Amino acid sequence: MRWQWPRQDLCPYLPGKFDGNRSRGHSMKASPQFLESILDNLPEGVIGHDTRRRLIYFNRSAERITGYRREEVLGKDCHQAFSNPFCGPHCSFCDGAPEPWTGRRYPVRIVDKHGTAKDIEMSVTGMTDASGALVGVLAVFRERTSEAPSPDHLDEAESRWNMVGRDPRMLEVYRQIGLVAASDHPVHIHGETGTGKELVARAVHMESRRRQGPFVPVNCGALPEGVLESELFGHVKGAFTGAVRDKKGRFELADGGTLFLDEVAELPPTTQVKLLRVLQEKTFERVGGERSIRCDVRIISATNRDLAREVSRGRFRDDLYYRLKVLPLVLPTLRERRGDIPLLAEHFLGRAAGEISPSPRLTQKALEALLAYSWPGNVRELQNALHYALLRASDGVIRRDDLPTEILQETAQSRRGPTPKLTPQAVQAALKETGGNKVRAARLLGVARATLYRFLSAHPDVS
């Protein structure tokens, strides 16, 4: 089947003539074949669909990037042709044509026909007829080749994933989220309490092909052993006292999506055996039931313990350990990325700005105390500390004495030695956040401009 240029009534935006040689007395008609050749030679992929999501154009670069041939997709619903919305969560046509239409530009992760994940930069423009009515959209996209997350991806992490951080360790976490999301293998997240393990698990789910399915979290350490098995696998009526009806477990609820097992090291031995079987056979039985139930679930597990050490001590099955830790992902502590503390503080205070007038802010001494503290509870502890301090700060200005007692006591001991007002990490993070604007960076750090200028003169490697 040879691809045909869309009919003029479907694409009234197409030009009729090309007058590039008019000065020589030539007038060259823009035949469909000629226009097709122009667009096929573009390095960017070009896809067009009408207001019913019916694909009407697909150039050669689109074939190369997606792995689909134009004959396979033209005339089909965009969502059906690619098995998922090509634009992912950014799709504007999930509930019909939007009104009014606005063009959009954003990064998105796709999975091509062969199962390979690719990061692309997408620009979507509306196509209108002579009366200005929307008749379709044109998506132009190119594959990103850089390993490092782009600024757009950082913004995406902060807005869509609710994750904040510009430290190199966090940039590596963003990169790994994209890598592990491309696969369907189990992911194991290791990190101290409060480092954001569930946020990362949700981000992996949102970037995976399962993003249209459910994300079902279970805290394995918060449920008693007798309740945990029923929560995971469900039960049938009469299986135990109080089982007055059949109940679906979390595995059934997560079918087609992702099951997040938080604090997986707390699983009792009997539940570990049943979980291992689910991973191997993709089937399970409800508590008290005899019928095998098949499920299609991706497992993401997390713990603040060293699972390898738990295996060596006989507390965790080694076969289950190797099944869960196919794709490991380690989260940095807040102590290891202190330069993100000003950004995180601004983020949390910004969320509270709608409830407090005037907008809350930190004094320099309060920020110094936050930068000097060890943060055993990590980002969660920082958020709680700022909430506590805001309750004590009557005018919205958080001073050092407004911070929790444990922070004041620990940082009071550290202040016996010389403590710099600014750190290279904090300054570098502030400059990145403000796009190199030193005035805004000084305001973010809570210092005078002259203080920041003196620091930069003494640290020429910070930029």
Side-chain angles (χ1 to χ4, degrees):
M1 167 181 166
R2 170 166 171 75
W3 174 80
Q4 298 293 324
W5 186 267
R7 301 194 317 269
Q8 187 71 22
D9 61 335
L10 288 179
C11 299
Y13 51 87
L14 292 176
K17 292 185 178 182
F18 176 79
D19 296 325
N21 287 321
R22 180 173 293 177
S23 60
R24 297 186 180 182
H26 299 290
S27 179
M28 184 165 53
K29 292 281 187 179
S31 68
Q33 292 79 13
F34 181 71
L35 292 174
E36 177 184 349
S37 176
I38 292 175
L39 294 178
D40 267 343
N41 281 281
L42 289 175
E44 295 84 8
V46 181
I47 293 177
H49 71 69
D50 61 19
T51 54
R52 292 183 294 167
R53 299 198 309 245
R54 183 179 53 178
L55 289 164
I56 56 175
Y57 185 69
F58 205 74
N59 78 338
R60 189 180 299 151
S61 290
E63 290 183 315
R64 173 180 53 80
I65 295 171
T66 67
Y68 290 90
R69 291 179 293 111
R70 57 187 68 171
E71 291 86 355
E72 298 177 271
V73 298
L74 285 175
K76 293 183 179 179
D77 182 297
C78 177
H79 291 192
Q80 296 174 357
F82 303 112
S83 302
N84 276 305
F86 186 74
C87 300
H90 303 280
C91 179
S92 300
F93 284 76
C94 285
D95 300 314
E99 198 59 50
W101 166 263
T102 55
R104 303 183 66 188
R105 184 183 181 89
Y106 49 82
V108 69
R109 172 171 289 261
I110 66 167
V111 178
D112 70 13
K113 183 181 179 181
H114 310 294
T116 302
K118 295 180 177 179
D119 289 318
I120 63 174
E121 300 291 342
M122 178 89 76
S123 178
V124 184
T125 304
M127 300 185 295
T128 58
D129 61 15
S131 66
L134 183 71
V135 296
V137 297
L138 198 67
V140 180
F141 55 95
R142 68 166 64 223
E143 193 173 358
R144 290 183 56 244
T145 56
S146 172
E147 287 287 329
S150 69
D152 286 337
H153 277 71
L154 291 177
D155 292 339
E156 179 182 40
E158 294 178 4
S159 61
R160 197 153 66 86
W161 302 345
N162 201 26
M163 295 169 64
V164 177
R166 304 295 174 100
D167 184 273
R169 294 173 182 84
M170 284 305 295
L171 300 187
E172 177 61 18
V173 169
Y174 299 156
R175 189 183 72 86
Q176 291 207 15
I177 287 173
L179 290 176
V180 302
S183 168
D184 215 25
H185 296 302
V187 177
H188 180 70
I189 304 169
H190 179 261
E192 290 186 6
T193 298
T195 50
K197 296 185 288 293
E198 184 168 345
L199 284 178
V200 172
R202 288 183 181 275
V204 171
H205 171 74
M206 286 298 299
E207 294 303 305
S208 74
R209 68 176 183 84
R210 295 176 176 270
R211 56 183 171 267
Q212 303 298 324
F215 177 87
V216 180
V218 183
N219 189 326
C220 301
L223 297 170
E225 180 175 349
V227 176
L228 179 60
E229 192 168 331
S230 173
E231 281 294 315
L232 287 175
F233 307 109
H235 62 253
V236 299
K237 180 180 178 180
F240 50 83
T241 303
V244 296
R245 59 180 178 82
D246 289 355
K247 178 186 175 183
K248 290 183 177 182
R250 303 295 178 92
F251 269 95
E252 285 182 82
L253 295 175
D255 191 37
T258 302
L259 181 65
F260 175 53
L261 300 176
D262 198 8
E263 303 302 339
V264 71
E266 306 295 333
L267 284 174
T270 53
T271 309
Q272 291 182 34
V273 174
K274 292 197 72 170
L275 178 58
L276 179 64
R277 184 190 169 190
V278 176
L279 290 171
Q280 292 174 335
E281 308 292 336
K282 306 294 184 185
T283 61
F284 64 92
E285 293 83 35
R286 292 178 181 174
V287 176
E290 298 178 350
R291 182 174 64 89
S292 290
I293 300 173
R294 179 164 292 276
C295 63
D296 174 26
V297 173
R298 185 187 194 178
I299 301 292
I300 300 180
S301 59
T303 182
N304 57 6
R305 295 193 195 178
D306 185 341
L307 269 191
R309 184 179 299 173
E310 296 297 302
V311 169
S312 66
R313 293 177 177 177
R315 299 174 183 171
F316 203 83
R317 294 180 63 97
D318 58 349
D319 46 5
L320 179 58
Y321 167 71
Y322 292 116
R323 284 279 184 177
L324 291 175
K325 202 174 180 181
V326 177
L327 300 173
L329 207 161
V330 180
L331 302 188
T333 64
L334 190 55
R335 298 181 300 280
E336 295 172 315
R337 56 181 188 110
R338 292 182 186 273
D340 283 339
I341 290 175
L343 306 182
L344 287 161
E346 183 186 35
H347 173 72
F348 293 134
L349 293 178
R351 289 168 61 175
E355 307 170 10
I356 299 175
S357 182
S359 296
R361 64 180 180 87
L362 285 164
T363 65
Q364 173 61 23
K365 289 189 176 181
L367 180 59
E368 288 176 10
L370 297 182
L371 290 167
Y373 184 57
S374 61
W375 298 111
N378 293 288
V379 178
R380 186 183 298 132
E381 185 183 9
L382 172 62
Q383 182 178 17
N384 293 340
L386 291 171
H387 287 168
Y388 172 85
L390 277 173
L391 291 176
R392 291 170 55 88
S394 58
D395 57 355
V397 179
I398 297 176
R399 298 169 178 83
R400 187 178 185 280
D401 291 342
D402 295 324
L403 298 173
T405 304
E406 58 269 21
I407 296 178
L408 298 179
Q409 290 176 344
E410 181 179 309
T411 55
Q413 295 175 357
S414 66
R415 289 175 74 188
R416 294 173 184 173
T419 302
K421 287 187 175 182
L422 298 174
T423 65
Q425 295 89 348
V427 172
Q428 194 167 40
L431 288 171
K432 284 185 179 179
E433 175 68 12
T434 60
N437 187 311
K438 296 182 178 62
V439 175
R440 290 174 55 204
R443 190 179 305 124
L444 178 62
L445 291 164
V447 299
R449 281 179 290 174
T451 302
L452 179 59
Y453 291 147
R454 283 195 299 270
F455 181 90
L456 292 172
S457 297
H459 300 79
D461 56 325
V462 178
S463 59

